Amino acid sequence: MADLTSDAIARVFREEYGRVVAGLVRLLGNIDLAEESVQEAFVVATQRWPETGLPPNPGAWITVTARNRALDRLRRESTRANREQRATMTDHNQDPFEDDAFDEASIVDDRLRLIFTCCHPALAPDAQVALTLRLLGGLLAAEIARAFLVPEVTMRQRITRAKRKIAANNIPYQVPEAAELPERLAAVLAVVYLVFNEGYIATSGEALVRDDLCMEAIRLGRILVGLMPDEPEAKGLLALMLLTAARRSARAADGELVQLRDQDRDLWDQGLIAEGHDLVRACLRRNHPGPYQIQAAINAVHTDAATAADTDWHQVVQLYEQLMQIAPSPVVAMNKAIAIAELDGPDVGLAALEGLPLDQYQPYHSTRADLLRRAGRTVDAAEAYRMALAITTNDAERRFLERRLAEVQ
C-alpha cells in the first residue's frame, strides 16, 4: 500500500483544481459539468491513489479521468443538446481524448479565460469573489462561507446564481481584447486583493487574521503573475500581499491588535519579506508605477526597517504623494496623514485628516483617536475612540480600542 495521506491528496486537489476545471470548461462549455466531473475524478483518486501511489503527473491523471467522466455522462443522457455539446468537444480540429488538448500553453490560456470570466463586470463583486475562490482556488462553498461569515446555503446560492448569470448572459469565456484588458485586469486584481484584505483584517469575528484566506489570495496572486509575467501591477499586488502578510504573526497578542510601531519584528516572516522585496525591485526596474506597486514599495520601506524608529518616513510620505497623484482617495490621504504625523508631529497629522469624508470608516476614527492621544487632547481622543468602537465588528480591534479608551479616560 502506498504511503499517501488524505492531506496529500487534498493538497493536490487544491493545487490542480483550477487548472483542470478551466481546461474542461473550454472543452465542455459548461461550468457545472466541468466541476462535477472534476469532483468525481477526485473521488476516484481518493480511492485509488492510496493503493497505487501518486501518479507522475497528478494533474494530467485528474484531467483525463474527469474528461472521460464528462463524456460518459453526456453519452448516457444522450439528449440532442448533449449530442451537440459532445460535438463541440471534438470541434476545432482537437480531439478531447488527445493529451495535447491540455498542453502547457492551453492550460495558461484556459486559466486566464476562467479568471476573467469569474471577474466579469456583469457579476456582482461578492459573486466575483465567490466564483474566483471556488473555480480557481478550489475552495468548497462551506470554506468560502466560513471565511466571509455567511451561511453555507447563502454562499451556495450566490455561486449558483453567478453561474446561471454567466450562462443566461452568454458571458464569454475569453481573455479581453487589448483595449479592454487594463480595466478588466484591474477588476481581477481588485477581487484578489479583496480576498486578501478580508483575511488580513477580518471584517468581524474573534480572530484578527485569517491565515487561510491570506494564503489563498497570495496563491491566486502567484497564479496571476505566472500567467501574466509582463503585467507589473500583478507583480505589485503579489509583492504588496507578501510584505503585508509577513507581519501577520505580530499583529495580535493576547487576543488584541498590536499596532505596527509596537510589533515584535522578530516575528515577521523574513522569507515572505525577501520574496516581496525582490518583486518590488523588479517593478522598479520596469519603471511603470501603478497603485499596487507603490503600495508594495511603501510596505517594503516598513519591512526594511529593523525598528520602528528606523523607518524612513520621508520616503513613505513621498510614496503616498505619488500614490495620490495616480490613484487619489480619502483612504490614501488618511494614510499619508499618518506618515506626516510621524515626521512633523500629531498636530500636523490631525490637520491633514480634517475634512476627509470617512465618517463610516473605522480606521479613520481610530487614527484620529491615536493622534489626539499623542497630542495630549485626551477628552477629544476618548470621543474618537468611542466613535471607532461604535462601528468596530472585529473582537481583537474592539479589545485594543477599549483598552486605549480606558487609558485616556
Side-chain angles (χ1 to χ4, degrees):
M1 180 177 292
D3 185 16
L4 188 64
T5 66
S6 58
D7 286 345
I9 296 174
R11 186 165 54 251
V12 172
F13 177 90
R14 185 63 56 86
E15 291 172 353
E16 300 291 344
Y17 188 86
R19 72 184 72 188
V20 179
V21 168
L24 285 176
V25 170
R26 168 170 55 88
L27 289 178
L28 300 171
N30 184 309
I31 292 175
D32 281 329
L33 180 56
E35 274 207 286
E36 290 164 7
S37 302
V38 173
Q39 289 162 11
E40 289 177 11
F42 273 102
V43 170
V44 176
T46 60
Q47 296 166 349
R48 294 188 185 174
W49 289 358
E51 296 290 339
T52 63
L54 198 67
N57 188 336
W61 189 99
I62 295 161
T63 295
V64 171
T65 303
R67 183 179 55 192
N68 291 341
R69 291 283 168 139
L71 287 169
D72 287 344
R73 175 177 296 190
L74 291 173
R75 290 190 187 103
R76 285 196 307 270
E77 294 176 355
S78 191
T79 65
R80 177 179 177 183
N82 285 330
R83 285 197 299 272
E84 291 174 354
Q85 190 169 27
R86 285 170 56 194
T88 66
M89 297 172 65
T90 54
D91 268 350
H92 312 299
N93 299 316
Q94 187 174 57
D95 186 342
F97 288 101
E98 293 181 0
D99 288 340
D100 63 2
F102 285 85
D103 61 22
E104 193 60 35
S106 294
I107 289 170
V108 170
D109 290 343
D110 292 340
R111 295 174 94 186
L112 273 178
R113 291 188 191 102
L114 188 55
I115 286 175
F116 282 104
T117 300
C118 290
C119 299
H120 193 278
L123 301 175
D126 58 357
Q128 293 176 357
V129 170
L131 267 188
T132 300
L133 289 174
R134 177 73 195 113
L135 299 182
L136 268 299
L139 273 68
L140 300 174
E143 293 176 298
I144 305 170
R146 282 197 301 272
F148 287 90
L149 301 177
V150 299
E152 182 179 346
V153 65
T154 300
M155 187 55 68
R156 287 185 183 279
Q157 291 170 348
R158 187 176 297 172
I159 293 170
T160 299
R161 284 195 299 267
K163 290 178 183 176
R164 287 175 180 167
K165 190 164 189 177
I166 288 172
N169 293 9
N170 293 315
I171 291 176
Y173 179 59
Q174 64 185 32
V175 177
E177 298 295 333
E180 296 180 282
L181 189 58
E183 183 178 354
R184 291 289 303 281
L185 177 61
V188 171
L189 297 178
V191 165
V192 175
Y193 195 37
L194 179 62
V195 173
F196 178 82
N197 277 331
E198 181 58 32
Y200 191 70
I201 307 175
T203 301
S204 58
E206 180 67 25
L208 181 67
V209 178
R210 296 185 185 132
D211 278 341
D212 56 343
L213 216 51
C214 286
M215 292 300 103
E216 185 58 36
I218 287 173
R219 193 171 75 86
L220 290 171
R222 287 195 173 109
I223 288 172
L224 281 173
V225 170
L227 296 177
M228 309 179 78
D230 294 326
E231 289 292 341
E233 277 292 82
K235 279 193 174 79
L237 174 59
L238 179 56
L240 172 60
M241 294 190 295
L242 290 167
L243 294 172
T244 307
R247 306 197 303 265
R248 67 192 189 283
S249 296
R251 291 190 65 242
D254 299 323
E256 184 180 305
L257 170 72
V258 179
Q259 290 184 309
L260 176 60
R261 71 169 73 93
D262 300 320
Q263 289 176 11
D264 180 354
R265 299 187 178 214
D266 289 338
L267 298 177
W268 290 1
D269 188 323
Q270 296 302 317
L272 294 183
I273 290 173
E275 185 181 355
H277 282 187
D278 285 344
L279 286 166
V280 169
R281 284 191 285 270
C283 290
L284 289 173
R285 288 194 293 270
R286 290 290 297 271
N287 195 27
H288 189 68
Y292 291 116
Q293 296 173 75
I294 296 172
Q295 291 176 79
I298 291 168
N299 278 271
V301 174
H302 286 302
T303 52
D304 199 39
T307 67
D310 294 329
T311 304
D312 187 346
W313 288 106
H314 286 282
Q315 189 175 2
V316 173
V317 170
Q318 289 173 354
L319 287 167
Y320 274 121
E321 287 175 349
Q322 187 179 8
L323 186 57
M324 281 294 291
Q325 290 174 6
I326 65 173
S329 78
V331 173
V332 174
M334 182 195 78
N335 287 319
K336 179 184 171 185
I338 294 171
I340 289 171
E342 295 296 332
L343 277 179
D344 302 321
D347 289 319
V348 179
L350 284 165
L353 285 177
E354 288 304 316
L356 293 179
L358 294 170
D359 284 345
Q360 300 304 311
Y361 187 56
Q362 186 261 40
Y364 171 72
H365 295 292
S366 58
T367 295
R368 280 193 72 249
D370 184 60
L371 295 181
L372 288 165
R373 178 184 63 84
R374 289 162 59 187
R377 297 166 56 182
T378 55
V379 174
D380 292 336
E383 178 59 23
Y385 279 125
R386 282 190 284 269
M387 294 176 73
L389 278 164
I391 51 177
T392 295
T393 53
N394 182 279
D395 293 340
E397 289 184 321
R398 178 177 296 280
R399 283 188 285 269
F400 168 79
L401 293 170
E402 287 173 343
R403 179 172 61 81
R404 279 293 167 86
L405 175 58
E407 290 171 357
V408 295
Q409 285 179 325

